[in-house]
Short mmCIF file of all heavy atoms in Angstrom, two decimals:
data_model
loop_
_atom_site.label_atom_id
_atom_site.label_comp_id
_atom_site.label_asym_id
_atom_site.label_seq_id
_atom_site.Cartn_x
_atom_site.Cartn_y
_atom_site.Cartn_z
N VAL T 1 103.80 88.94 87.08
CA VAL T 1 103.19 87.60 87.09
C VAL T 1 104.24 86.54 87.40
O VAL T 1 103.98 85.61 88.17
CB VAL T 1 102.47 87.31 85.74
CG1 VAL T 1 102.10 85.86 85.62
CG2 VAL T 1 101.25 88.19 85.61
N LEU T 2 105.42 86.68 86.83
CA LEU T 2 106.50 85.72 87.10
C LEU T 2 106.87 85.71 88.59
O LEU T 2 107.06 84.65 89.18
CB LEU T 2 107.73 86.03 86.25
CG LEU T 2 107.60 85.75 84.76
CD1 LEU T 2 108.83 86.28 84.02
CD2 LEU T 2 107.43 84.27 84.51
N LEU T 3 106.96 86.90 89.19
CA LEU T 3 107.29 86.96 90.62
C LEU T 3 106.16 86.39 91.47
O LEU T 3 106.41 85.67 92.43
CB LEU T 3 107.55 88.41 91.04
CG LEU T 3 108.95 88.92 90.84
CD1 LEU T 3 109.05 90.36 91.33
CD2 LEU T 3 109.96 88.06 91.55
N GLN T 4 104.93 86.69 91.12
CA GLN T 4 103.79 86.18 91.88
C GLN T 4 103.71 84.66 91.79
O GLN T 4 103.26 84.01 92.73
CB GLN T 4 102.49 86.81 91.39
CG GLN T 4 102.38 88.27 91.77
CD GLN T 4 101.21 88.96 91.12
OE1 GLN T 4 100.77 88.58 90.04
NE2 GLN T 4 100.70 89.99 91.76
N ALA T 5 104.18 84.11 90.70
CA ALA T 5 104.17 82.66 90.53
C ALA T 5 105.39 81.99 91.16
O ALA T 5 105.48 80.77 91.18
CB ALA T 5 104.09 82.31 89.05
N GLY T 6 106.34 82.78 91.65
CA GLY T 6 107.53 82.23 92.28
C GLY T 6 108.59 81.77 91.30
O GLY T 6 109.45 80.96 91.64
N MET T 7 108.58 82.29 90.09
CA MET T 7 109.53 81.90 89.06
C MET T 7 110.68 82.91 88.98
O MET T 7 110.81 83.68 88.04
CB MET T 7 108.80 81.79 87.72
CG MET T 7 107.67 80.78 87.75
SD MET T 7 106.70 80.78 86.23
CE MET T 7 107.88 80.10 85.08
N GLN T 8 111.55 82.87 90.01
CA GLN T 8 112.62 83.85 90.11
C GLN T 8 113.64 83.76 88.99
O GLN T 8 114.13 84.78 88.52
CB GLN T 8 113.34 83.72 91.46
CG GLN T 8 112.64 84.42 92.59
CD GLN T 8 111.59 83.54 93.25
OE1 GLN T 8 111.45 82.37 92.94
NE2 GLN T 8 110.84 84.10 94.16
N SER T 9 113.99 82.56 88.55
CA SER T 9 115.01 82.45 87.50
C SER T 9 114.50 83.01 86.18
O SER T 9 115.24 83.69 85.46
CB SER T 9 115.47 81.00 87.34
OG SER T 9 114.38 80.18 86.99
N GLU T 10 113.26 82.77 85.86
CA GLU T 10 112.68 83.33 84.63
C GLU T 10 112.52 84.84 84.77
O GLU T 10 112.73 85.59 83.81
CB GLU T 10 111.33 82.67 84.33
CG GLU T 10 110.75 83.05 82.99
CD GLU T 10 111.61 82.63 81.80
OE1 GLU T 10 112.33 81.62 81.88
OE2 GLU T 10 111.55 83.32 80.77
N PHE T 11 112.15 85.31 85.97
CA PHE T 11 112.07 86.75 86.22
C PHE T 11 113.42 87.40 85.98
O PHE T 11 113.51 88.45 85.34
CB PHE T 11 111.61 87.02 87.67
CG PHE T 11 111.71 88.46 88.06
CD1 PHE T 11 110.75 89.37 87.67
CD2 PHE T 11 112.79 88.92 88.80
CE1 PHE T 11 110.85 90.71 88.02
CE2 PHE T 11 112.90 90.25 89.16
CZ PHE T 11 111.92 91.15 88.76
N GLU T 12 114.49 86.77 86.48
CA GLU T 12 115.84 87.31 86.30
C GLU T 12 116.19 87.44 84.82
O GLU T 12 116.67 88.49 84.37
CB GLU T 12 116.86 86.42 87.01
CG GLU T 12 118.28 86.88 86.85
CD GLU T 12 119.29 85.99 87.55
OE1 GLU T 12 118.90 85.17 88.40
OE2 GLU T 12 120.48 86.11 87.22
N LYS T 13 115.94 86.40 84.05
CA LYS T 13 116.24 86.43 82.61
C LYS T 13 115.48 87.54 81.91
O LYS T 13 116.05 88.32 81.13
CB LYS T 13 115.88 85.09 81.96
CG LYS T 13 116.76 83.95 82.34
CD LYS T 13 116.25 82.69 81.67
CE LYS T 13 116.80 81.45 82.32
NZ LYS T 13 116.18 80.23 81.78
N GLN T 14 114.18 87.60 82.17
CA GLN T 14 113.34 88.59 81.49
C GLN T 14 113.67 90.02 81.94
O GLN T 14 113.66 90.94 81.12
CB GLN T 14 111.86 88.29 81.75
CG GLN T 14 111.38 86.99 81.15
CD GLN T 14 111.48 86.98 79.64
OE1 GLN T 14 111.25 87.98 78.98
NE2 GLN T 14 111.84 85.83 79.09
N PHE T 15 113.98 90.20 83.23
CA PHE T 15 114.32 91.54 83.71
C PHE T 15 115.63 92.02 83.10
O PHE T 15 115.74 93.18 82.69
CB PHE T 15 114.41 91.56 85.24
CG PHE T 15 114.45 92.95 85.82
CD1 PHE T 15 113.29 93.56 86.24
CD2 PHE T 15 115.64 93.65 85.92
CE1 PHE T 15 113.31 94.84 86.76
CE2 PHE T 15 115.68 94.93 86.43
CZ PHE T 15 114.51 95.53 86.85
N LYS T 16 116.61 91.14 83.05
CA LYS T 16 117.90 91.51 82.44
C LYS T 16 117.71 91.91 80.98
O LYS T 16 118.28 92.89 80.51
CB LYS T 16 118.89 90.35 82.54
CG LYS T 16 119.51 90.18 83.89
CD LYS T 16 120.50 89.04 83.89
CE LYS T 16 121.18 88.87 85.22
NZ LYS T 16 122.15 87.76 85.22
N LYS T 17 116.92 91.13 80.26
CA LYS T 17 116.66 91.42 78.85
C LYS T 17 115.96 92.77 78.69
O LYS T 17 116.35 93.59 77.87
CB LYS T 17 115.82 90.29 78.24
CG LYS T 17 115.51 90.48 76.79
CD LYS T 17 114.68 89.33 76.27
CE LYS T 17 114.25 89.58 74.84
NZ LYS T 17 113.33 88.57 74.35
N ALA T 18 114.93 92.99 79.50
CA ALA T 18 114.17 94.24 79.41
C ALA T 18 115.01 95.44 79.83
O ALA T 18 114.93 96.50 79.21
CB ALA T 18 112.93 94.14 80.29
N ALA T 19 115.83 95.28 80.86
CA ALA T 19 116.68 96.39 81.32
C ALA T 19 117.74 96.73 80.28
O ALA T 19 118.09 97.89 80.10
CB ALA T 19 117.33 96.03 82.65
N ALA T 20 118.25 95.72 79.59
CA ALA T 20 119.25 95.96 78.55
C ALA T 20 118.63 96.69 77.36
O ALA T 20 119.27 97.56 76.76
CB ALA T 20 119.87 94.65 78.10
N GLU T 21 117.40 96.35 77.03
CA GLU T 21 116.73 96.98 75.88
C GLU T 21 116.35 98.43 76.18
O GLU T 21 116.49 99.29 75.32
CB GLU T 21 115.48 96.19 75.51
CG GLU T 21 115.76 94.85 74.88
CD GLU T 21 114.52 94.03 74.64
OE1 GLU T 21 113.40 94.51 74.96
OE2 GLU T 21 114.66 92.90 74.15
N SER T 22 115.86 98.70 77.38
CA SER T 22 115.36 100.04 77.67
C SER T 22 116.36 100.91 78.42
O SER T 22 116.21 102.12 78.46
CB SER T 22 114.08 99.95 78.49
OG SER T 22 114.35 99.44 79.78
N ASP T 23 117.35 100.30 79.07
CA ASP T 23 118.37 101.01 79.85
C ASP T 23 117.72 101.87 80.94
O ASP T 23 118.19 102.95 81.26
CB ASP T 23 119.26 101.86 78.94
CG ASP T 23 120.55 102.26 79.64
OD1 ASP T 23 121.05 101.47 80.46
OD2 ASP T 23 121.05 103.37 79.37
N ALA T 24 116.62 101.39 81.50
CA ALA T 24 115.93 102.10 82.58
C ALA T 24 115.44 101.09 83.61
O ALA T 24 114.24 100.89 83.78
CB ALA T 24 114.77 102.90 82.01
#
């Protein structure tokens, strides 16, 4: 949804957080 809305900076923050938590 963040990408579809064009919110790249928020996508980056959330993706980094999620990738750090799951390591996948």
Side-chain angles (χ1 to χ4, degrees):
V1 168
L2 289 172
L3 274 181
Q4 289 171 333
M7 301 174 69
Q8 278 87 6
S9 60
E10 188 62 30
F11 171 79
E12 178 180 344
K13 290 178 198 173
Q14 294 297 323
F15 193 94
K16 283 181 178 181
K17 180 180 175 187
E21 289 174 1
S22 68
D23 197 32

